[in-house]
Amino acid sequence: MINWQAIDTVLLDMDGTLLDLHFDTYFWLDHLPRRYAEIHALDQAAAREALLAQIDARQGTLEWYCLEYWSRSLSVDIRALKEEIRYKIQIRPHVETFLDRLQAQGKRRLLVTNAHPLSLSLKLEETAIDRWLDGIISSHELSEPKESQAFWERLNEREPFDPERTLFVDDTPRVLEAAARYGIRHLLCIHQPDSQVERWIDEYPAIHHFDEITPS
């Protein structure tokens, strides 16, 4: 599936790619609605419906990923609520070996994530995945989400890479589509980013786990 001789740089998403998306799914769909209702003394069912409608309305924007935005909008401390379930943050299978092999083959490994810095720092504290990476860039530093062409332009200015010799791995098809429009040649998706939810991807080449493409 991957011709490693044609690749110099590997861009990697975090949530759903290197880390199990179950933490985020559980937080936004279960933990936050329940705690939001408790904090504001609201009916849980009504609070959950209203909260998820607000979240869906911002999908694909930088605000959708912004913990500070949601903390202000909902009058809760999102980072503190994430701390309550940090034990659910898990590295996906075979990630360490994959990243080690990339280093051994001289490939540049960059984490490119839409995660807000407050969320990113929590996950780095819990997993220390930064020890296997050559750089980390949050879209919030570039003021554009990965869905935007401006993100890729600014990323290439900050961390120069040749799109023709770059592999980008992400679990979100709309993000891969944006990368394809920018000209990144090698694209790969994740079939099941949340270990608790079955999903199959047809739009792009996809894997279940990194052992399927780990360089020998």
Side-chain angles (χ1 to χ4, degrees):
M1 182 181 292
I2 301 295
N3 176 12
W4 287 110
Q5 299 303 312
I7 293 168
D8 299 323
T9 300
V10 182
L11 304 178
L12 297 149
D13 174 49
M14 182 173 68
D15 301 318
T17 300
L18 298 183
L19 303 185
D20 190 341
L21 191 64
H22 180 62
F23 169 82
D24 302 276
T25 304
Y26 179 80
F27 177 80
W28 292 103
L29 298 185
D30 294 280
H31 189 68
L32 175 59
R34 178 174 56 80
R35 294 289 286 118
Y36 175 72
E38 291 172 357
I39 291 167
H40 296 296
L42 302 171
D43 173 76
Q44 286 202 16
R48 186 178 191 276
E49 183 178 355
L51 180 60
L52 296 183
Q54 288 186 61
I55 293 171
D56 286 346
R58 305 307 302 162
Q59 189 170 1
T61 69
L62 198 61
E63 289 172 338
W64 195 62
Y65 304 100
C66 181
L67 268 60
E68 292 172 332
Y69 171 80
W70 292 114
S71 293
R72 290 193 306 269
S73 297
L74 305 176
S75 298
V76 296
D77 187 336
I78 298 292
R79 164 70 189 235
L81 295 185
K82 287 196 169 197
E83 288 270 5
E84 295 176 353
I85 58 165
R86 66 184 296 161
Y87 65 90
K88 285 185 171 287
I89 300 171
Q90 302 289 333
I91 299 175
R92 298 185 73 248
H94 310 292
V95 164
E96 300 100 318
T97 300
F98 174 69
L99 295 176
D100 274 341
R101 294 279 180 85
L102 291 184
Q103 182 184 38
Q105 295 223 350
K107 310 302 180 186
R108 188 165 167 234
R109 307 156 300 172
L110 297 177
L111 178 67
V112 290
T113 178
N114 275 329
H116 186 270
L118 291 174
S119 182
L120 176 59
S121 64
L122 174 63
K123 290 171 179 177
L124 295 181
E125 289 170 13
E126 191 67 22
T127 67
I129 58 170
D130 49 326
R131 71 186 121 161
W132 297 297
L133 298 165
D134 300 306
I136 297 174
I137 301 94
S138 166
S139 59
H140 298 265
E141 301 170 56
L142 305 182
S143 302
E144 291 284 351
K146 289 188 290 184
E147 290 87 337
S148 165
Q149 290 301 290
F151 168 87
W152 299 101
E153 293 164 2
R154 293 173 188 179
L155 175 65
N156 208 341
E157 290 172 2
R158 175 168 161 173
E159 298 282 351
F161 61 90
D162 179 356
E164 283 286 319
R165 296 188 57 81
T166 295
L167 167 66
F168 175 47
V169 189
D170 199 288
D171 67 302
T172 305
R174 70 173 182 270
V175 171
L176 289 166
E177 181 183 352
R181 288 201 309 273
Y182 181 70
I184 294 179
R185 181 173 182 180
H186 307 278
L187 301 169
L188 193 63
C189 201
I190 303 294
H191 281 306
Q192 190 173 342
D194 181 332
S195 61
Q196 307 302 309
V197 179
E198 291 189 10
R199 186 186 77 164
W200 185 265
I201 289 294
D202 292 317
E203 302 99 307
Y204 293 95
I207 58 172
H208 285 94
H209 297 298
F210 282 105
D211 60 335
E212 299 171 44
I213 60 164
T214 297
S216 59

